């Protein structure tokens, strides 16, 4: 296993060099560096890597540092040919073959920046098309000024594909699909390089001609996946006439094909529609789009599971969107979707994980027990703090790293009737995994709400009500001094909080949730911000909604309330995945039980806390004065 530090030939760099970066131009003098792969006709680089590794010295069954010129060169070639090839990522077509959790990894392209002259010399001398392609491609990738090596790479990739088509190369598993699959990957990389070098160059034109030939071979093989890949490439390069591509796709779809899946068939119909669109054949385009939709309809009708059937029917409806003369069919499918969704609750099952809330309950009870009503309410408002967004993100990234595969899948969020109300798309790896991170943040903050609400908040609320009598006047006395509460809404806020402390959560959540939006606007106006919109057409002004405040004035909200509080509000009242309490309540979508859930209880507490936060300074000074007076009266 290698270290993550980049290799370099800079004499001023004191870091130890990696074993595969020790070769120099002098080591290449009079050396047949292709000797380990003489006679090997493979087009799979990992085979070449194994051949080069076989020439390296070992100690106790492990590779030892190379001690001579040949060993240093073979170590470099073994690492370069061992890079992970991913041509579908044109900006990063190579990567480490292995990355461990502690940060250690195998060779990466960036390691070779300091030894490009050595790599370039081998690329020019190499006879093996596979080795030449890898070496030249790596040089051009790291240094775009080496255009001649880019040309070498394209020519080598074309030679590889041609040798595969003429059965002059070796494959670990040779069949029609495997051959065309490898050809696709190499021609894809060749096209990306040729495109960057210039579409007027001979290499690009040769790539285009070869793509046309390969697409025809895929069509003749009646393979849907290969036809999809090569047809997309052909369309992008404008190699063949779009109408011809569409017609060929329909031929493949008409042929018997066992083991096909609905999404691939639907994708092919959609691709045919795209080709007909480029050919300006609108009638044929719409027909193919309708066929793509019907594939999903058939999948929905065949599925015995309502969840998968509803997903397929939703895809069908989306495919029909915007098609002329398909409005009635779309409405018909929407009714069918509702019918399917009605069966989803029968298929769902619940699972739970118990959490011991004893510690949180004890904390909530002890925090307010034996206090005056005023102290109890202030302590209750400060039972916990809104979570730090940076810490939430750190925990989410850590959780995703522990289960990277699960984060690649998209998630569907449904309401109690089985309707899809939100979809979270799957993420990638590293920074590309933002969707999975956001989904994990929502999960973490949701679990936290459940623990805090059902533990500390509920225990403290019940203790306060057992020890004190609260009334509207109690809260009016407090809230009249809170800048968060507009003067004309003090009684309404007071009634909402009284119902909350009394355990009438239905009344509390319906009273307090709409007031949150108004108070946020009120505070922003007190800080000098304009919270209205102006319609130029009608010359009217409207107050911004909660959604508009968060989308258009988030920076101002963060400056006034802190990012922790605004994030807490956002994940509870606005965004999905999440309860989206404000939307659900405003549209009458919450059930009787929702008001008694952890989200609603926490929401009421959060609004109460926002009302009380501005009063803490006054409360602390009052407590200090009382303490001074008590000291003066004491003996």
């Amino acid at each position: 296993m290698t270290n993550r530090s980049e290799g370099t030939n800079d004499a001023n760099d004191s870091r130890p060099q990696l074993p595969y970066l020790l070769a120099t131009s002098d080591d290449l003098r009079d050396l047949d560096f292709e000797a380990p792969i003489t006679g090997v006709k493979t087009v799979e680089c990992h085979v070449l890597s194994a051949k080069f590794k076989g020439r390296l010295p070992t100690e106790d069954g492990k590779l030892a540092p190379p001690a001579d010129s040949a060993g240093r060169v073979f170590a470099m070639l073994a690492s370069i040919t061992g890079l992970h090839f991913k041509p579908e990522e044109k900006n990063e077509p190579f990567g480490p073959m292995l990355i461990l959790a502690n940060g250690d990894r195998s060779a990466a392209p960036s390691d070779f920046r300091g030894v490009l002259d050595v790599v370039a010399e081998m690329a020019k001398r190499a006879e093996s098309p596979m080795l030449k392609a890898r070496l030249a491609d790596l040089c051009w990738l790291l240094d775009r000024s080496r255009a001649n090596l880019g040309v070498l790479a394209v020519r080598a990739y074309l030679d590889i594909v041609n040798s595969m088509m003429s059965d002059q190369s070796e494959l670990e598993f040779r069949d029609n699909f495997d051959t065309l699959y490898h050809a696709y990957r190499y021609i894809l990389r060749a096209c990306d390089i040729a495109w960057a070098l210039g579409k007027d160059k001979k290499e690009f034109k040769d790539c285009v001609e070869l793509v046309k030939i390969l697409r025809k071979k895929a069509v003749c093989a009646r393979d849907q996946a290969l036809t999809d890949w090569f047809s997309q490439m052909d369309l992008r390069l404008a190699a063949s006439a779009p109408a011809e591509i569409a017609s060929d796709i329909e031929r493949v779809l008409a042929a018997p094909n066992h083991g096909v899946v609905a999404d691939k068939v639907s994708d092919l119909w959609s691709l045919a529609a795209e080709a007909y669109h480029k050919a300006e054949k609108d009638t044929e385009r719409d027909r193919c789009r309708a066929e793509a939709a019907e594939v999903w309809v058939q999948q929905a009708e065949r599925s015995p599971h309502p969840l998968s059937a509803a997903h397929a029917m939703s895809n069908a409806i989306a495919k029909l969107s915007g098609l002329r003369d398909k409005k009635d069919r779309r409405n018909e499918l929407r009714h069918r979707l509702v019918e399917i969704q009605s069966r989803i609750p029968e298929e769902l099952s619940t699972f739970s994980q118990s959490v011991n809330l004893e510690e949180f309950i004890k904390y909530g009870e002890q925090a307010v027990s034996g206090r005056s009503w005023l102290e109890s309410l202030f302590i209750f408002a400060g039972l916990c703090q809104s979570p730090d967004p940076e810490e939430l993100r750190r925990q989410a990234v850590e959780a995703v790293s522990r289960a990277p595969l699960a984060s690649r899948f998209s998630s569907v969020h449904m309401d109690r009737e089985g309707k899809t109300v939100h979809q979270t798309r799957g993420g990638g790896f590293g920074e590309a995994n933002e969707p999975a991170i956001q989904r994990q943040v929502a999960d973490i903050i949701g679990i936290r709400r459940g623990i805090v609400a059902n533990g500390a908040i509920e225990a403290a609320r019940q203790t306060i009500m057992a020890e004190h009598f609260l009334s509207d006047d109690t809260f009016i006395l407090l809230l009249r001094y809170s800048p968060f509460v507009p003067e004309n809404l003090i009684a309404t806020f007071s009634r909402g909080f009284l119902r909350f402390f009394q355990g009438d959560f239905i009344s509390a959540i319906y009273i307090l949730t709409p007031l949150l939006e108004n108070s946020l606007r009120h505070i922003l106006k007190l800080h000098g911000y304009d919270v209205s919109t102006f319609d130029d057409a009608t010359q009217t002004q409207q107050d911004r909604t909660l959604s508009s405040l968060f989308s258009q004035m988030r920076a101002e909200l963060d400056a006034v309330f802190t990012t922790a509080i605004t994030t807490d509000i956002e994940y509870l009242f606005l965004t999905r995945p999440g309860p989206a309490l404000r939307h659900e309540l405003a549209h009458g979508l919450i059930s009787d039980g929702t008001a008694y859930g952890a989200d609603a209880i926490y929401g009421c507490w959060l609004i109460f806390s926002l009302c009380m936060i501005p009063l803490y300074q006054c409360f602390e000074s009052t407590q200090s004065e009382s303490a001074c007076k008590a000291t003066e009266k004491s003996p």
Side-chain angles (χ1 to χ4, degrees):
M1 180 49 57
T2 58
N3 189 284
R4 279 192 72 88
S5 60
E6 276 190 13
T8 176
N9 280 348
D10 191 345
N12 297 323
D13 196 328
S14 60
R15 293 177 299 178
Q17 281 199 323
L18 298 168
Y20 51 82
L21 299 179
L22 299 177
T24 65
S25 295
D26 290 339
D27 292 329
L28 292 175
R29 189 174 296 119
D30 301 324
L31 175 66
D32 181 8
F33 59 85
E34 290 185 285
I37 60 172
T38 300
V40 176
K41 297 181 180 180
T42 184
V43 294
E44 296 171 284
C45 244
H46 68 89
V47 176
L48 302 185
S49 181
K51 295 288 185 182
F52 286 118
K53 283 181 181 177
R55 293 293 189 94
L56 298 178
T58 59
E59 291 179 0
D60 298 328
K62 297 181 180 179
L63 291 178
D68 56 10
S69 297
R72 290 190 289 270
V73 173
F74 294 156
M76 178 180 288
L77 290 173
S79 294
I80 293 176
T81 53
L83 292 172
H84 178 211
F85 184 46
K86 39 182 184 172
E88 63 281 356
E89 299 180 29
K90 67 177 182 178
N91 294 318
E92 196 175 359
F94 302 108
M97 186 60 74
L98 179 66
I99 302 177
L100 298 182
N102 64 359
D104 288 346
R105 58 161 173 78
S106 57
S110 57
D111 294 342
F112 299 93
R113 288 187 185 278
V115 292
L116 277 187
D117 288 340
V118 179
V119 179
E121 184 177 345
M122 288 191 288
K124 294 172 183 176
R125 287 171 50 185
E127 297 292 333
S128 165
M130 191 68 255
L131 183 60
K132 181 182 287 289
R134 178 59 59 92
L135 295 171
D137 194 349
L138 181 63
C139 287
W140 181 80
L141 177 69
L142 296 176
D143 185 358
R144 297 299 171 88
S145 66
R146 300 176 186 255
N148 60 323
L149 288 166
V151 172
L152 271 182
V154 174
R155 299 303 328 170
Y157 281 128
L158 292 177
D159 289 343
I160 292 169
V161 175
N162 284 321
S163 70
M164 292 173 64
M165 293 301 101
S166 59
D167 292 332
Q168 295 178 4
S169 59
E170 298 174 355
L171 280 172
E172 199 168 2
F173 304 100
R174 162 122 10 214
D175 59 28
N176 199 37
F177 176 85
D178 199 54
T179 300
L180 283 172
Y181 168 71
H182 280 80
Y184 169 76
R185 303 181 79 225
Y186 295 132
I187 193 63
L188 176 62
R189 183 59 189 153
C191 287
D192 286 336
I193 300 175
W195 189 296
L197 292 173
K199 292 191 286 185
D200 58 332
K201 299 288 190 344
K202 180 180 184 300
E203 286 70 28
F204 180 80
K205 295 173 183 177
D206 289 344
C207 286
V208 170
E209 290 303 314
L210 189 52
V211 166
K212 291 166 64 175
I213 295 171
L214 293 172
R215 184 183 66 80
K216 284 295 185 181
K217 286 184 175 292
V219 171
C220 291
R222 297 294 192 269
D223 188 286
Q224 294 183 352
L226 292 170
T227 299
D228 185 14
W229 300 339
F230 283 110
S231 296
Q232 287 189 56
M233 190 184 298
D234 198 327
L235 268 180
R236 182 167 71 93
L237 298 175
S240 305
E244 178 187 345
I245 296 173
S247 178
D248 285 342
I249 291 174
E250 292 203 63
R251 284 171 51 204
V252 173
L253 287 168
N257 203 320
H258 302 289
V260 298
V261 290
D263 59 344
K264 179 55 64 180
V265 176
S266 181
D267 286 346
L268 278 172
W269 280 115
S270 297
L271 187 58
E274 180 184 348
Y276 278 128
H277 176 70
K278 289 189 175 183
E280 299 182 353
K281 294 187 175 184
D282 294 347
T283 302
E284 297 302 312
R285 175 201 63 194
D286 291 349
R287 178 179 59 81
C288 289
R289 287 184 60 188
E291 290 288 352
E294 293 304 322
V295 170
W296 285 112
V297 173
Q298 294 171 20
Q299 178 75 5
E301 298 298 346
R302 286 195 301 264
S303 175
H305 303 293
L307 271 172
S308 57
H311 171 70
M313 194 62 73
S314 297
N315 286 339
I317 294 170
K319 292 288 184 183
L320 290 177
S321 177
L323 283 185
R324 296 170 294 183
D325 304 325
K326 291 295 180 180
K327 183 178 180 180
D328 291 341
R329 178 58 171 162
R330 194 163 182 266
N331 288 335
E332 178 188 344
L333 296 182
R334 290 186 65 179
H335 289 303
R336 179 70 181 122
L337 174 62
V338 173
E339 181 186 343
I340 294 171
Q341 289 171 336
S342 67
R343 304 199 312 268
I344 288 179
E346 301 172 7
E347 187 180 56
L348 298 178
S349 60
T350 60
F351 65 91
S352 61
Q353 182 175 352
S354 60
V355 178
N356 189 353
L357 297 178
E358 182 178 354
E359 181 181 346
F360 297 95
I361 292 173
K362 187 181 296 184
Y363 164 72
E365 291 174 345
Q366 293 177 351
V368 298
S369 181
R371 308 276 186 171
S372 68
W373 68 269
L374 185 60
E375 287 179 303
S376 296
L377 291 179
F378 273 100
I379 293 171
F380 179 78
L383 278 176
C384 65
Q385 294 182 336
S386 295
D388 177 25
E390 293 300 321
E391 176 62 18
L392 284 173
R393 183 175 180 83
R394 185 195 66 76
Q395 294 177 18
V397 170
E398 184 178 318
V400 168
S401 67
R402 289 197 299 266
L405 184 60
S407 67
R408 297 277 289 178
F409 297 97
S410 60
S411 297
V412 175
H413 307 265
M414 296 179 295
D415 62 12
R416 59 182 177 275
E417 294 179 349
K419 299 193 299 294
T420 298
V421 294
H422 180 71
Q423 292 192 31
T424 303
R425 62 186 178 87
F429 290 109
E431 295 180 358
N433 211 1
E434 190 62 29
I437 293 173
Q438 292 302 318
R439 185 173 64 207
Q440 194 65 43
V441 167
D443 289 343
I444 293 171
I445 204 169
I447 293 171
R448 172 190 173 276
R449 277 198 302 266
I451 294 174
V452 171
N454 292 321
I457 292 175
E458 261 300 271
R461 183 192 67 80
Q462 293 178 23
T463 302
I464 291 173
M465 292 306 296
E467 296 183 1
H468 303 286
F469 171 75
L470 302 180
S471 66
D472 285 324
D473 293 338
T474 305
F475 294 102
I476 289 174
L477 181 64
L478 274 174
L479 301 181
R480 65 193 300 181
Y481 299 107
S482 175
F484 192 78
V485 182
E487 187 176 354
N488 62 335
L489 289 172
I490 293 175
T492 308
F493 267 99
S494 298
R495 180 59 56 86
F497 291 136
L498 178 61
R499 292 291 181 261
F500 171 55
F501 276 90
Q502 290 174 341
D504 181 4
F505 298 138
I506 293 178
S507 298
I509 194 66
Y510 274 95
I511 293 172
L512 296 173
T513 299
L515 296 178
L516 172 65
E517 178 180 316
N518 183 61
S519 286
L520 293 179
R521 285 196 299 264
H522 177 66
I523 290 293
L524 288 175
K525 284 191 285 188
L526 290 179
H527 281 77
Y529 297 114
D530 181 13
V531 294
S532 63
T533 60
F534 187 84
D535 190 322
D536 294 333
T538 62
Q539 296 186 6
T540 56
Q541 286 179 277
Q542 299 290 334
D543 287 330
R544 291 188 182 275
T545 63
L546 187 62
S547 300
S548 177
L549 289 175
F550 271 79
S551 63
Q552 303 298 322
M553 302 186 69
R554 182 60 183 267
E556 292 85 347
L557 285 170
D558 288 344
V560 174
F561 291 98
T562 74
T563 55
I565 291 176
T566 54
T567 300
D568 212 1
I569 293 172
E570 182 181 28
Y571 274 96
L572 177 60
F573 289 98
L574 284 174
T575 63
R576 296 189 191 278
L581 271 182
R582 180 250 186 187
H583 171 83
E584 298 290 291
L585 184 142
H587 297 282
L589 299 175
I590 66 172
S591 64
D592 291 341
T594 304
Y596 291 87
D599 294 327
I601 293 173
Y602 184 86
C604 292
W605 170 85
L606 180 59
I607 296 172
F608 181 72
S609 178
L610 291 172
C611 292
M612 299 293 284
I613 286 173
L615 304 179
Y616 269 98
Q617 189 173 359
C618 296
F619 173 69
E620 290 173 356
S621 63
T622 302
Q623 294 296 96
S624 299
E625 290 176 8
S626 299
C628 291
K629 291 179 181 178
T631 303
E632 291 172 1
K633 292 180 180 180
S634 63

